Amino acid sequence: MSAQTPASVRVRAPGKINVFLEVGDVQDDGYHELATAFQAVSLYEEMVATPADEITIDVSARGPVDIEGVPTDDRNLAVRAARLLAQTAGIDRGAHLAVRKAVPVAGGMGGGSADAAAALIACDALWGLGMPTSELVRLAARLGADVPFALLGGTAVGTGRGDQLSPALARGRFDWVLVPNETGMSTPVVYGELDAHRRRHAVDIGPAPRVPAVDRDVLHALRQGDAGMLAATLRNDLQAPALHLRPDLARVLERGESSGALAGIVSGSGPTLAFLAADESSAIDLQVTLSAAGLVALHVHGPVPGARVV
Ligand code: C5P
């Protein structure tokens, strides 16, 4: 085997929390214009890619993740990512992708997007392509709105569909406690519920913001590394529709907020809840309290880097 084709490549890619998400109008392509601030957190998908004749995948769980709903055929986003990369490079190569998932499935944390980003990085290295990052980011955007951020990681502002990224300055670290939920939610259904809600209440809440923008206070809090300030500015326009579809989540949100969290928020389109803690030790206390109440609670921190070879 040549130096360009290693026997295997191991990659990890982070899940994300949207600390701010303003959703505008639905566009002709069915996507909503939005403005978001992403933070990559230390809950990682792991992928080992090895040479194979075809592009194949197997998926296993790392921790309390229900992987039953994850397709292992051509619908799998990581498989599609590997295929798109091979096609773009004009090569006829295969790879076997062994994925160990820690990010909740259909949980609003971009787990599938992280898998796709991991596949781009892993196959680029396995096949010795050396594709420029800008090209990988372009391919990522074709795979899904959150895939470019899973490549980039850290802290970033996303506009357009969420795929037009600019890195944001962030200082220090933020400690979160995540509470995943057994039953996943469909992202298109949650966006659809937001649209329906806006139609129902058009008189009271007015039209969607014409050009969504990330609140300056959010960027300031991230720049300062100030958890208290960030807690006061957390916002997710998908939270109300997610809670409307899943009223049970509101109780868990209240439980976290009354157990020492600075604030809680639905992550992305849900149902994972993300509780921001004042610091590491508060997060550990919160995790213990929520676990004792019978909830699955995971302590993570952000920001962390995007998909990379380890
Ligand atoms: O790009 P991705 O596959 O992650 O998007 C899943 C679905 O979420 C889209 O098909 C669309 O219904 C919804 N979506 C949206 N506006 C966005 C991002 C996602 O309506 N900006």
Side-chain angles (χ1 to χ4, degrees):
M1 202 163 282
S2 75
Q4 283 83 20
T5 55
S8 72
V9 176
R10 179 185 293 269
V11 171
R12 67 179 195 180
K16 57 81 185 168
I17 297 169
N18 302 81
V19 298
F20 181 94
L21 176 56
E22 180 169 279
V23 180
D25 277 328
V26 63
Q27 309 293 298
D28 292 342
D29 59 8
Y31 276 80
H32 292 72
E33 187 174 21
L34 56 81
T36 188
F38 291 107
Q39 184 171 112
V41 295
S42 60
L43 190 64
Y44 298 99
E45 304 285 77
E46 289 183 359
M47 178 180 287
V48 176
T50 45
D53 293 336
E54 308 280 327
I55 293 170
T56 55
I57 192 164
D58 72 61
V59 178
S60 58
R62 203 160 67 79
V65 180
D66 180 2
I67 56 164
E68 207 166 307
V70 181
T72 52
D73 55 18
D74 281 358
R75 288 168 301 166
N76 185 287
L77 201 56
V79 169
R80 282 165 45 200
R83 250 186 239 307
L84 180 63
L85 182 67
Q87 215 176 60
T88 306
I91 56 166
D92 184 19
R93 299 280 292 272
H96 178 68
L97 309 175
V99 183
R100 294 178 66 222
K101 291 189 71 70
V103 181
V105 175
M109 290 195 60
S113 301
D115 296 346
L120 291 175
I121 296 290
C123 292
D124 179 65
L126 189 72
W127 297 334
L129 300 176
M131 185 101 43
T133 304
S134 57
E135 180 66 5
L136 292 176
V137 170
R138 197 184 63 79
L139 298 181
R142 287 176 57 188
L143 291 160
D146 290 340
V147 185
F149 178 70
L151 275 181
L152 183 71
T155 307
V157 168
T159 53
R161 293 175 165 193
D163 56 347
Q164 287 163 29
L165 295 180
S166 44
L169 285 176
R171 184 180 299 157
R173 83 174 223 170
F174 295 92
D175 285 86
W176 300 88
V177 175
L178 304 172
V179 177
N181 195 280
E182 280 173 5
T183 314
M185 293 180 82
S186 154
T187 302
V189 169
V190 178
Y191 274 100
E193 176 61 27
L194 175 65
D195 293 336
H197 175 82
R198 284 177 171 167
R199 280 194 300 273
R200 281 194 300 265
H201 300 283
V203 177
D204 304 329
I205 60 179
R210 202 160 287 261
V211 180
V214 175
D215 196 308
R216 293 163 61 107
D217 293 344
V218 174
L219 299 176
H220 187 59
L222 292 167
R223 243 185 347 255
Q224 295 296 314
D226 187 327
M229 204 191 296
L230 185 62
T233 52
L234 289 175
R235 170 176 157 192
N236 178 5
D237 282 358
L238 295 177
Q239 175 155 318
L243 294 181
H244 194 249
L245 291 165
R246 291 284 303 279
D248 56 303
L249 297 175
R251 272 197 305 279
V252 186
L253 209 46
E254 278 162 26
R255 172 67 74 104
E257 289 184 333
S258 62
S259 302
L262 294 173
I265 194 168
V266 169
S267 179
S269 54
T272 307
L273 301 176
F275 296 100
L276 183 56
D279 51 30
E280 187 174 1
S281 70
S282 312
I284 292 168
D285 289 347
L286 178 60
Q287 184 197 14
V288 168
T289 305
L290 294 178
S291 300
L295 296 164
V296 174
L298 311 166
H299 173 203
V300 300
H301 64 91
V304 299
R308 54 176 52 189
V309 175
V310 288

